[in-house]
Amino acid sequence: MKKGEYALERESEFSWRMDPSGKMRVPGIIYADESLIRDMDDKVFEQLANVASLPGIVQAAYAMPDAHWGYGFPIGGVAAFDPDEGGVVSAGGVGFDISCGVRCLRTGLTVDDIEPHKKKLADQLYKHIPVGVGSTGRIHLNDKGMQAMLRGGARWAVEQGFGNPEDLEHIEERGCMAGADPAEVSDRARKRQQDEMGTLGSGNHYLEVQRVAEIYDRNTAAAFGLQVDDVVVFIHCGSRGLGHQIGTEFLKYMVLAASQHKIELPDRELACAPINSELGQAYLGAMRAGINCALANRQIITHLTREVFADVLPKADLTLLFDVSHNTCKVETHRVQGGERKLYVHRKGATRAFGPGHPEIPETLRAVGQPVLIGGSMGTESHVLVGTEQGADLSFHSACHGAGRAMSRHQATKQWRGRSVVDELAERGIQIRSPSMRGVAEEAPGAYKDVRAVVDAAEKAGLARKVVRLEPHVCVKG
């Protein structure tokens, strides 16, 4: 099959290979079925080839089944770099919303418990949790508080009274990313964030109340504490203005420094710096601080959500299943050509998906594997998957992160009106709350790929295994 100027060789029903050509150092590997491949924008393959051209890349450049055109890296892109071979770190390979991710909370409730209270629950969540462009929360951080938050992440949030110490065991990096350097975060980035903690933001960010509609893997679902008709909460957001500012600033620095490091950029959006360079280390310090900001943000929103449930449905008991990010660069040990190597794994719009037994998985879940949280588009189903052992060799233990856009936001607003989308979903029993009808139109369900096709492809490729399917009942979005 040809996609643009690139020839794809089918390796299996759910795996495709782009052999190195031009300046590519490694092949590109795409995990998807034929239908998803045909519908992917040609730009995805151009961007994947560009990623495969970067110095120090190891094994292959990967695209997940939800891949679509992004900034520099395709969204749904994964690439690992070896610092001892001149490997680079790329701000575009992490993305502007550093550590954007998903958190899943069990509620101890069933769908029958929430059905009579859905409207009130939607109203109170919308009232209590700030959402939308420029939204600010009830927390104001001075410089000392900002530094503590950037170093401590969700641990800092718990120390401030936002949640329980038990939450931390079920958060990636146990709630705090080591190596964060607040000194590398600019005054402008800090200023943007000082009033934004505990806010959802806009775009595709949301808080959704969902019911477990179907179980695929009973043993793993039981280990996750999930049964049919159980109610869970998904929280999807990231590092807000701080992460965006870090990305914006370091992309500029990396473009200017590329020639100094003798890096020939196939695309300015792929600006990068050697991992072992002063600039590379500065970005990693700032990026890790951005990860802590996102972890703290989701922890505060969890506390606010618990307050609403305690008021509307007092018998609820919100416990954290897992929290995992999908815009990061992490140092991980992986098997490559028969030996173990410490690599810098970029995941942009891709979720870490460790398999059973991995030491980074919480002890209570380690025997079955890491939960992989796949959010659908607004008003459509979401999924919980679990990492697999074979995912280590397939994609550095990575999987898809959502449905993936099928059209741009601009195209979506030409096809849908927000009020019509809200009314249509209400007829299906889904309560939507948003400050922006344009934002609703941009995130209309039809603007995204079929999430079930995406997770089916991820499972059949071996990246992760399906555990449960979730259906939405309440959605608060930007």
Side-chain angles (χ1 to χ4, degrees), residues 12-70:
S12 71
E13 187 178 356
F14 296 92
S15 175
W16 306 73
R17 177 187 175 95
M18 285 171 29
D19 281 325
S21 62
K23 296 181 179 180
M24 291 173 66
R25 301 168 189 259
V26 295
I29 303 292
I30 307 99
Y31 294 108
D33 64 21
E34 186 168 346
S35 176
L36 288 168
I37 286 283
R38 290 192 182 282
D39 289 343
M40 283 183 190
D41 192 294
D42 289 353
K43 190 77 173 176
V44 170
F45 305 91
E46 178 186 332
Q47 290 187 323
L48 196 65
N50 287 341
V51 172
S53 304
L54 292 176
I57 189 168
V58 173
Q59 201 158 279
Y62 298 96
M64 301 295 105
D66 55 339
H68 54 289
W69 181 12

Side-chain angles (χ1 to χ4, degrees), residues 139-157 159-160 175-187 189-191 193-195 197 242 246 285-286 288-294 296:
I139 301 165
H140 175 84
L141 293 179
N142 59 22
D143 189 60
K144 183 178 179 181
M146 179 68 70
Q147 289 207 41
M149 181 273 290
L150 294 176
R151 286 196 184 279
R155 290 183 193 171
W156 167 86
E159 289 167 1
Q160 302 303 305
C176 179
M177 185 72 217
D181 188 353
E184 298 295 349
V185 178
S186 71
D187 290 342
R190 297 180 194 209
K191 187 175 171 96
Q193 194 62 29
Q194 63 185 9
D195 295 313
M197 297 307 296
L242 181 133
I246 290 170
R288 289 163 180 161
I291 290 176
N292 282 336
C293 176

Side-chain angles (χ1 to χ4, degrees), residues 312-364:
V312 178
L313 292 154
K315 79 173 199 175
D317 179 22
L318 273 63
T319 59
L320 181 54
L321 170 59
F322 203 60
D323 178 305
V324 65
S325 303
H326 48 242
N327 279 356
T328 60
C329 175
K330 296 286 189 72
V331 183
E332 297 171 2
T333 300
H334 288 278
R335 295 188 305 269
V336 179
Q337 296 175 340
E340 291 194 338
R341 289 159 72 176
K342 194 165 283 189
L343 305 174
Y344 286 68
V345 183
H346 293 64
R347 296 185 180 96
K348 180 177 182 177
T351 303
R352 193 192 74 179
F354 286 153
H358 198 285
E360 289 296 313
I361 301 173
E363 191 173 345
T364 54

Side-chain angles (χ1 to χ4, degrees), residues 181-219:
D181 188 353
E184 298 295 349
V185 178
S186 71
D187 290 342
R188 172 65 178 147
R190 297 180 194 209
K191 187 175 171 96
R192 288 187 65 176
Q193 194 62 29
Q194 63 185 9
D195 295 313
E196 289 192 346
M197 297 307 296
T199 65
L200 273 174
S202 60
N204 64 347
H205 295 168
Y206 62 80
L207 182 151
E208 204 162 81
V209 181
Q210 307 164 331
R211 121 183 139 91
V212 177
E214 186 175 5
I215 291 179
Y216 302 110
D217 180 336
R218 293 197 174 277
N219 290 337

Side-chain angles (χ1 to χ4, degrees), residues 201-372:
S202 60
N204 64 347
H205 295 168
Y206 62 80
L207 182 151
E208 204 162 81
V209 181
Q210 307 164 331
R211 121 183 139 91
V212 177
E214 186 175 5
I215 291 179
Y216 302 110
D217 180 336
R218 293 197 174 277
N219 290 337
T220 305
F224 288 176
L226 300 175
Q227 300 179 36
V228 169
D229 284 338
D230 280 356
V231 171
V232 301
V233 176
F234 262 34
I235 297 169
H236 175 211
C237 63
S239 50
R240 301 285 279 117
L242 181 133
H244 196 282
Q245 191 66 30
I246 290 170
T248 299
E249 291 170 356
F250 275 92
L251 275 163
K252 291 178 182 175
Y253 303 151
M254 289 174 176
V255 167
L256 293 173
S259 59
Q260 172 191 337
H261 295 295
K262 296 182 172 53
I263 295 174
E264 186 178 340
L265 296 175
D267 179 351
R268 284 171 61 89
E269 293 180 359
L270 271 181
C272 56
I275 292 164
N276 289 332
S277 69
E278 185 176 335
L279 178 56
Q281 289 299 305
Y283 173 71
L284 288 167
M287 185 268 301
R288 289 163 180 161
I291 290 176
N292 282 336
C293 176
L295 297 178
N297 193 36
R298 291 197 288 274
Q299 184 64 33
I300 296 168
I301 293 172
T302 295
H303 176 76
L304 299 177
T305 303
R306 284 170 170 155
E307 289 183 336
V308 171
F309 271 82
D311 178 51
V312 178
L313 292 154
K315 79 173 199 175
D317 179 22
L318 273 63
T319 59
L320 181 54
L321 170 59
F322 203 60
D323 178 305
V324 65
S325 303
H326 48 242
N327 279 356
T328 60
C329 175
K330 296 286 189 72
V331 183
E332 297 171 2
T333 300
H334 288 278
R335 295 188 305 269
V336 179
Q337 296 175 340
E340 291 194 338
R341 289 159 72 176
K342 194 165 283 189
L343 305 174
Y344 286 68
V345 183
H346 293 64
R347 296 185 180 96
K348 180 177 182 177
T351 303
R352 193 192 74 179
F354 286 153
H358 198 285
E360 289 296 313
I361 301 173
E363 191 173 345
T364 54
L365 304 174
R366 198 169 296 161
V368 293
Q370 178 206 302
V372 177

